[in-house]
Amino acid sequence: MKNFLTEQSRKALIFAAKSFYRRIIMYIKPEDRREKSNAKIKGMGIACMEELPLRESSKEAKLKSFEEICDRAIACLLSIQLAEDIHNEQGYEESKELFLSLLEKYEVSDCLLEKEKRLFDGTYSEQDAIDVCWTYEAYWSLLWALGLVEDISYPNDICDVERAIKLVGDTDGKAAFKAQCRLRGIEEILDMLDLHYRYHWATEEKRLRPETEIKDLNPDVLMERRRGLEWLISEESDWFDISMDT
């Protein structure tokens, strides 16, 4: 029988099937997720509060759309580049025009957060630029959720900045960026968020009680990675408005 499927159609069908089966994952109870996170943390010799509250289940959490996550990732990266130029005092006007043009090219001009908007309209503070620079790590969490980064389960060092830039910069537009992404399932994302939430307790405890063991976790990297993960299931559109309590 003649095969009427083109190679492109066949690949699309295979991808759709794989995406479907990747999402058929048994429901994980919040209690079981906490137990797994606690076991991992204690196994690493990091301080653990075993009764830290449960996080949302996949029945309660609503994951932001694939489109919204891609938009946030691109807009975030372009804003970071402007923030870095501001911080390094490298030709604000020229830099602003460049990244405004890239926001338009990638169709994310309307996807900026309030701090990011202030960078582009010239009303920013020095702290705004610093805060946006640090969102490299929140952006890295989004890249992980989009399947572009393999693992973020141990936030002890800053992200690979060169790769972080290339994953957007080497594409010729939003469609090309989206084509390389494969959104992870909700249970996998909640697993990673739960782990970061419990790591965060340890680093906050370290701040209050210096004898607390956190090994080589980087508190700043951890907090920003958690911010990105929290945003994925938050009702807030601006991740600077998300509570980071533990």
Side-chain angles (χ1 to χ4, degrees):
M1 181 181 292
K2 186 175 180 181
N3 186 353
F4 289 97
L5 283 178
T6 65
E7 183 65 20
Q8 184 176 7
S9 298
R10 184 159 49 243
K11 287 181 178 179
L13 286 172
I14 291 171
F15 169 65
K18 287 182 177 178
S19 296
F20 174 75
Y21 286 112
R22 281 173 62 191
R23 285 159 175 75
I24 304 179
I25 301 174
M26 186 178 296
Y27 168 71
I28 300 174
K29 296 180 185 177
E31 296 88 347
D32 294 338
R33 177 171 284 118
R34 177 170 66 182
E35 184 177 349
K36 182 172 69 172
S37 294
N38 285 346
K40 180 180 178 68
I41 290 169
K42 289 189 291 184
M44 297 167 70
I46 293 171
C48 175
M49 180 181 178
E50 295 195 33
E51 298 306 315
L52 201 65
L54 299 172
R55 295 303 310 261
E56 301 88 335
S57 73
S58 59
K59 294 179 180 179
E60 301 165 322
K62 183 179 179 183
L63 186 63
K64 285 185 167 65
S65 71
F66 175 69
E67 180 79 19
E68 191 173 1
I69 297 168
C70 289
D71 285 352
R72 175 86 296 267
I74 297 169
C76 175
L77 177 68
L78 297 177
S79 298
I80 290 168
Q81 304 314 299
L82 177 57
E84 288 201 323
D85 285 352
I86 290 170
H87 185 65
N88 295 320
E89 299 181 345
Q90 294 182 347
Y92 171 72
E93 290 298 333
E94 182 179 352
S95 182
K96 181 181 74 171
E97 291 307 312
L98 169 62
F99 292 112
L100 279 172
S101 69
L102 289 173
L103 287 172
E104 292 182 7
K105 173 184 174 180
Y106 284 91
E107 305 170 70
V108 292
S109 297
D110 297 330
C111 303
L112 297 175
L113 308 183
E114 288 304 313
K115 282 181 185 287
E116 296 165 349
K117 289 177 183 177
R118 292 198 290 269
L119 299 182
F120 284 95
D121 67 19
T123 62
Y124 62 88
S125 66
E126 181 179 357
Q127 191 61 51
D128 286 335
I130 292 170
D131 290 347
V132 173
C133 281
W134 265 106
T135 58
Y136 254 130
E137 303 302 334
Y139 166 67
W140 198 245
S141 288
L142 300 193
L143 294 183
W144 172 81
L146 291 168
L148 298 175
V149 171
E150 186 171 347
D151 186 31
I152 60 169
S153 63
Y154 191 57
N156 65 326
D157 201 2
I158 63 172
C159 67
D160 182 341
V161 171
E162 182 177 354
R163 183 160 180 245
I165 295 172
K166 288 172 67 68
L167 284 169
V168 172
D170 284 355
T171 64
D172 61 4
K174 181 161 67 172
F177 174 76
K178 288 168 60 179
Q180 65 185 340
C181 299
R182 305 289 182 267
L183 184 61
R184 295 178 189 271
I186 183 66
E187 298 291 359
E188 187 176 5
I189 289 171
L190 291 176
D191 277 353
M192 191 64 75
L193 172 56
D194 189 80
L195 183 62
H196 279 65
Y197 168 65
R198 299 178 196 286
Y199 279 150
H200 197 187
W201 174 85
T203 59
E204 287 297 289
E205 190 72 1
K206 175 75 171 181
R207 184 172 59 82
L208 298 172
R209 297 178 177 82
E211 69 275 13
T212 303
E213 182 58 72
I214 65 168
K215 297 301 181 181
D216 61 341
L217 288 177
N218 184 314
D220 294 322
V221 170
L222 166 60
M223 185 172 71
E224 293 304 323
R225 298 264 178 95
R226 180 187 166 196
R227 188 190 306 280
L229 293 167
E230 293 281 4
W231 178 85
L232 291 169
I233 65 164
S234 175
E235 294 181 357
E236 298 284 358
S237 58
D238 190 325
W239 57 28
F240 292 109
D241 293 336
I242 296 173
S243 171
M244 299 293 286
D245 294 340
T246 59

